[in-house]
Amino acid sequence: MPAIVEVEELDKTYEGDFKALSSVSLEIEEGEILALLGPNGAGKTTLISTICGISIPTSGRISVSGHDVVTDWRAARRLIGLVPQEINLEPFEFVGNTVRFSRGLFGKAPDEAFIDQILTDLSLIDKKGSRIAQLSGGMKRRVLIAKALAHEPRVLFLDEPTAGVDVELRRDMWALVERLRSEGVTIILTTHYIEEAEAIADRIGIIRSGEILLVEEKNKLIKRLGRKTLTVELKEPLTQLPDALSDYDLQLSEGGNALIYAYDAGAERTGITRLLSSLQSAGLVLADLQTNESSLEDIFVDLVQEDAQ
Amino acid sequence: MNWYGIAAIFRFEMARFFRSIIQSIVSPVLSTSLYFVVFGAAIGSRIPEIEGVSYGAFIVPGLIMLTVLQQSIQNAGFGIYFPRFIGTIFEVLSAPLSSFEIVLGYVGAAAVKSLMIGLIILATSFFFVDITIQHPFWMITFLMMTAISFALLGFILGVWAKNFEQLNLVPLLIVTPLVFLGGSFYSVSMLPPFWQSVSMFNPVLYLVSGFRWSFFGMADVPITASLIAIMGFMVACLAIVWWIFRTGYRLKV
Ligand SMILES: Nc1ncnc2c1ncn2[C@@H]1O[C@H](COP(=O)(O)OP(=O)(O)OP(=O)(O)O)[C@@H](O)[C@H]1O
Ligand SMILES: [Mg+2]
């Protein structure tokens, strides 16, 4: 898959010498859904704003479909749609007008049928003639999405699209994201809900203090988190692993009174039965058994904290 | 050129004008009529003709200028300040629009609005006084250039202002005095020599003088000086706007 968005060594220092991004490099593949996770203030919004041309990069290079966002900004921006984190809408404007406005702003000829289609997809069609101020928070967020889609972008940035959105609407949004992806739209979303990333993303990027800690395929990451550990406590401590058990991916705990076996919970064979009988044959007496599972959340928290130290 | 984009901004700005059409038209017509009643009829009847022009007619160009200046600044200032204030500016900044196109949308709409109001005032004045316009081409030219350059100033103000107070204060504290002291309601030749010299530093004097010349053929300063002044002012505003977009001053972080 070719990269549609390329970020190279991006630095962003805000006025007052605050470094919000430091040498961020990221390649976003065409047609993928990338979820950016990171604690508050990590720099997610800053990264998105810089790609979209709202923030000026301090150094580094960004291109969208080969168009540099600084030198070839017009071509780059035509491809981008942005749903901002804050609900910024003109309160007195009508829903239909504001979506039409967005389409025009991005240089597209009027297409009322297309706008109606978007509004229908977002269950906003009956609000077309309402003023923004008369809408609920969730509806306003959908208006922002409609505006971002009005010019048929190829790359869509969703900055916390489901913050403050009810469960049903969240599922609707996931479905919409899935449909857009099937139309070939590349989607980058930020979220604080890890299940959300798990449910819809192809890849997950974790960002902390302005640095990308990792970008990895969700399934690989899930595999990593899907790994469970079995802790076997022994009656008698061991000084080293018996040779009979060398076939297994075992670790001896400190003090030698427990064996830790890591396995893939999703796999057809976990190898536990075989391990237990091998333990018995090796003449080990078990005191207790215990399994642990790390979730994506744990991995996320570990990563974020580990780096903080 | 992103014409659809320019049109979107232009239409949006004009919609605000038409949304409050009563306020947009009634208030300038009303205040102008008051000026005519007070200055033209009440006070003007005691003021002799100025170079063959009745006082009521004499103040018409100044009145139009006063309103066009204020409206241009106010419309363009509010037009760009409000989206900054509520945060919708992000969309314009992320759109494939050059700074020139953005300015064309906002400043163009503001200038057209104040031009319309200026013409409404002119039409109103026909009810009160007899006026013949000697140089209609120059009259329109001056009016357009004033509307555009002060809309540019308003745009700069709207980008610079950090709150509504600043946005309103500059026109109130700087522009209105300049207009009143710029010979809108008198000829500078009526002033003592010292104040005549001071007035020469007031840029608005050149506008009003040139504009009045297009009506009555009389001027406080040479017509070329008026043209150079308005052009110079416009170029200065354009340079500042260009700098704003180059640096992202108060628009981008
Ligand atoms: N305009 C600004 N001027 C100065 N500092 C800023 C500005 N905008 C953001 N920052 C700082 O940059 C850092 C990153 O902010 P950013 O909004 O990108 O975080 P985020 O990852 O989007 O957080 P959240 O999850 O809370 O939305 C923060 O420390 C923030 O205080
Ligand atoms: Mg954010």
Side-chain angles (χ1 to χ4, degrees), chain A residues 12 14 52-56 73-74 77-78 82 84 88-91 93 101-102 104-110 147, chain B residues 1-2 4-5 8-9 12 19 82 86-88 90-98 101 247-248 251-253:
Chain A
K12 173 66 194 176
Y14 280 115
C52 295
I54 300 166
S55 264
I56 304 167
W73 51 271
R74 206 188 283 269
R77 290 183 193 178
R78 274 186 203 283
L82 166 64
N88 301 316
L89 287 166
E90 183 97 15
E93 188 55 287
F101 174 79
S102 300
L105 218 49
F106 279 75
K108 288 270 181 170
K147 279 165 75 72
Chain B
M1 286 287 268
N2 180 353
Y4 287 119
I9 294 177
F12 181 85
R19 221 162 27 219
F82 193 62
I86 60 171
T88 52
F90 85 89
E91 199 179 14
V92 176
L93 296 177
S94 66
L97 279 164
S98 67
E101 289 160 345
T247 58
L251 284 177
K252 296 188 182 191
V253 285

Side-chain angles (χ1 to χ4, degrees), chain B:
Chain B
M1 286 287 268
N2 180 353
W3 290 109
Y4 287 119
I6 300 167
I9 294 177
F10 186 86
R11 210 175 298 129
F12 181 85
E13 288 298 301
M14 293 309 283
R16 207 177 43 236
F17 179 73
F18 289 109
R19 221 162 27 219
S20 50
I21 185 84
I22 307 285
Q23 191 202 329
S24 306
I25 289 176
V26 170
S27 81
V29 169
L30 186 73
S31 58
T32 314
S33 305
L34 288 173
Y35 275 111
F36 279 119
V37 172
V38 175
F39 287 107
I43 300 175
S45 59
R46 291 157 193 262
I47 297 177
E49 291 189 343
I50 301 169
E51 295 180 42
V53 179
S54 78
Y55 187 68
F58 180 85
I59 63 169
V60 169
L63 267 181
I64 296 174
M65 273 291 168
L66 172 68
T67 313
V68 167
L69 244 90
Q70 284 173 336
Q71 291 284 327
S72 297
I73 293 179
Q74 201 179 312
N75 283 324
F78 187 80
I80 189 73
Y81 177 76
F82 193 62
R84 279 180 61 218
F85 177 68
I86 60 171
T88 52
I89 190 74
F90 85 89
E91 199 179 14
V92 176
L93 296 177
S94 66
L97 279 164
S98 67
S99 41
F100 177 70
E101 289 160 345
I102 295 174
V103 170
L104 205 60
Y106 282 106
V107 169
V112 167
K113 282 188 268 189
S114 60
L115 209 59
M116 279 163 44
I117 294 169
L119 294 175
I120 290 169
I121 294 176
L122 181 62
T124 313
S125 64
F126 284 122
F127 288 101
F128 293 91
V129 287
D130 262 346
I131 317 174
T132 44
I133 300 163
Q134 290 188 9
H135 309 285
F137 169 77
W138 287 110
M139 194 277 280
I140 292 291
T141 306
F142 266 110
L143 204 57
M144 279 184 10
M145 287 179 60
T146 306
I148 293 168
S149 48
F150 279 82
L152 282 168
L153 180 66
F155 186 88
I156 294 167
L157 197 63
V159 170
W160 166 81
K162 282 189 169 159
N163 49 52
F164 275 102
E165 198 179 16
Q166 288 186 341
L167 186 66
N168 293 323
L169 222 55
V170 171
L172 199 69
L173 289 186
I174 299 174
V175 179
T176 310
L178 283 181
V179 175
F180 274 88
L181 301 177
S184 304
F185 302 110
Y186 55 87
S187 162
V188 266
S189 61
M190 296 169 168
L191 295 175
F194 172 74
W195 290 108
Q196 280 193 32
S197 316
V198 171
S199 296
M200 292 301 151
F201 292 100
N202 181 351
V204 178
L205 172 79
Y206 295 84
L207 300 183
V208 173
S209 167
F211 193 50
R212 188 177 290 131
W213 170 85
S214 70
F215 278 76
F216 311 120
M218 60 155 117
D220 286 331
V221 292
I223 181 71
T224 44
S226 293
L227 275 174
I228 291 169
I230 179 82
M231 301 267 250
F233 182 66
M234 199 191 270
V235 169
C237 288
L238 280 172
I240 296 173
V241 168
W242 177 82
W243 173 84
I244 284 175
F245 279 101
R246 238 202 106 81
T247 58
Y249 174 78
R250 292 200 182 169
L251 284 177
K252 296 188 182 191
V253 285

